[in-house]
Amino acid sequence: MSTQAYDIVKLARGNKRPTGMDYIQNLCADFFELHGDRRYADDGAVVGGIGHFRGIPVTLVAIEKGHNAKERLARTFGAPHPEGYRKALRLMKQAEKFHRPVLCFVDTSGAYCGVGAEERGQGQAIAENLMEMMTLNTPVITVLIGEGGSGGALALSVADRVWMLENAVYSVISPEGCASILWKDAAKADEAAQRLKLTARDALRLGIIEGIVPERELGQSGFYTLLADRLEKELHLLMGEKDLLERRYQRFRAFGRPVASEAE
């Protein structure tokens, strides 16, 4: 069986890929970071704040993995704790209050699965984000820039537009985890990746995302300029949308509907 999908998984996990903060800093020169969930602590795996994107006041939220060993340990390798998701939701509700669009950049293998995270309500924090983002009365665009793993990624992806980078992935479980459950053999991760339909092309074909961002010159100024052009155009369209919440609701209601050929 082809290992193409698993090759893309490896690219999505690459250590040299730009992280969430790289996107924020290149798209928003005056970014001002805000901290804490007002309940427990500040989670380094989730970065959020405010700034101007091409003259538009925006709220930015990103899952950050870090660039070196020290940063990755401090940010738990981009696996958010519940306080990270609560911080993100706090900032998104603030954005709604002040009529700011929200830009999310997602790159995570999944939410942190330690005992402490479970004790502090990891599942509830993710569920609250899903519920609240569905009725958030301000435009939301999410870009999957690397790994989009399970509920940890979905918690920031209930958006009006979801895009994926060309070599990003979006899946309910990792290929290794899937292979361990189905075949009791993590070595079959390549087959699992193929069957999970986790690539950007798969997600676009299934109607789960609205667009794919090419990775030509990934991390270079030209790449960020093209992404910014696309984001600016989409933001202006969404900011003029009168039935934003209804369209978002219908977007998610459409998931799982059979295509015409299957219905016939």
Side-chain angles (χ1 to χ4, degrees), residues 80-94:
H81 289 74
E83 49 269 24
Y85 293 117
R86 290 176 180 134
K87 172 170 68 173
L89 181 57
R90 178 177 75 82
L91 296 180
M92 288 188 282
K93 296 296 286 184
Q94 181 192 79

Side-chain angles (χ1 to χ4, degrees), residues 26-27 54 216-228:
N26 279 278
L27 295 174
R54 293 195 168 178
R216 292 186 298 274
E217 300 183 345
L218 180 64
Q220 303 301 311
S221 60
F223 167 79
Y224 291 114
T225 299
L226 290 174
L227 177 59

Side-chain angles (χ1 to χ4, degrees), residues 35-75:
H35 298 273
D37 67 342
R38 301 298 187 266
R39 298 190 194 182
Y40 181 75
D42 185 48
D43 183 10
V46 176
V47 175
I50 57 177
H52 288 86
F53 167 67
R54 293 195 168 178
I56 305 171
V58 294
T59 290
L60 301 106
V61 179
I63 297 179
E64 172 65 21
K65 286 185 172 180
H67 288 285
N68 54 48
K70 184 177 180 180
E71 288 182 4
R72 288 171 185 152
L73 283 171
R75 299 185 185 276

Side-chain angles (χ1 to χ4, degrees), residues 3-214:
T3 59
Q4 183 180 8
Y6 196 52
D7 291 337
I8 293 175
V9 172
K10 294 176 182 176
L11 290 172
R13 294 171 175 171
N15 291 333
K16 295 184 179 180
R17 291 182 73 85
T19 65
M21 277 300 297
D22 293 322
Y23 284 82
I24 289 176
Q25 290 170 348
N26 279 278
L27 295 174
C28 188
D30 64 346
F31 175 68
F32 183 82
E33 186 174 357
L34 300 172
H35 298 273
D37 67 342
R38 301 298 187 266
R39 298 190 194 182
Y40 181 75
D42 185 48
D43 183 10
V46 176
V47 175
I50 57 177
H52 288 86
F53 167 67
R54 293 195 168 178
I56 305 171
V58 294
T59 290
L60 301 106
V61 179
I63 297 179
E64 172 65 21
K65 286 185 172 180
H67 288 285
N68 54 48
K70 184 177 180 180
E71 288 182 4
R72 288 171 185 152
L73 283 171
R75 299 185 185 276
T76 55
F77 296 85
H81 289 74
E83 49 269 24
Y85 293 117
R86 290 176 180 134
K87 172 170 68 173
L89 181 57
R90 178 177 75 82
L91 296 180
M92 288 188 282
K93 296 296 286 184
Q94 181 192 79
E96 179 184 44
K97 178 179 179 180
F98 292 103
H99 308 291
R100 291 192 298 263
V102 178
L103 301 178
C104 296
F105 300 95
V106 173
D107 184 13
T108 181
S109 59
Y112 194 79
C113 58
V115 173
E118 294 298 327
E119 289 175 339
R120 297 193 300 279
Q122 185 70 285
Q124 183 180 13
I126 292 172
E128 286 179 350
N129 276 34
L130 302 183
M131 179 179 69
E132 294 288 349
M133 288 184 73
M134 185 59 73
T135 58
L136 195 72
N137 196 16
T138 196
V140 183
I141 297 178
T142 293
V143 185
L144 295 159
I145 61 175
E147 289 186 276
S150 193
L154 187 60
L156 294 180
S157 302
V158 181
D160 302 293
R161 300 287 187 274
V162 177
W163 299 339
M164 292 176 66
L165 262 65
E166 187 177 0
N167 292 315
V169 294
Y170 197 17
S171 176
V172 70
I173 192 173
S174 70
E176 295 83 1
C178 178
S180 297
I181 292 171
L182 292 183
W183 300 293
K184 311 300 181 186
D185 184 1
K188 291 189 176 182
D190 57 346
E191 183 176 355
Q194 194 72 24
R195 298 195 180 202
L196 283 168
K197 305 299 181 185
L198 45 63
T199 69
R201 289 187 180 277
D202 290 327
L204 183 64
R205 179 175 57 83
L206 294 169
I208 296 170
I209 64 171
E210 281 71 41
I212 298 174
V213 180

Side-chain angles (χ1 to χ4, degrees), residues 136-139 160-161 234-249:
L136 195 72
N137 196 16
T138 196
D160 302 293
R161 300 287 187 274
E234 204 66 35
L235 277 180
H236 281 298
L237 289 173
L238 290 172
M239 290 167 66
E241 189 69 66
K242 293 183 179 180
D243 54 350
L244 185 72
L245 297 184
E246 177 61 23
R247 287 181 179 272
R248 187 184 304 156
Y249 175 75

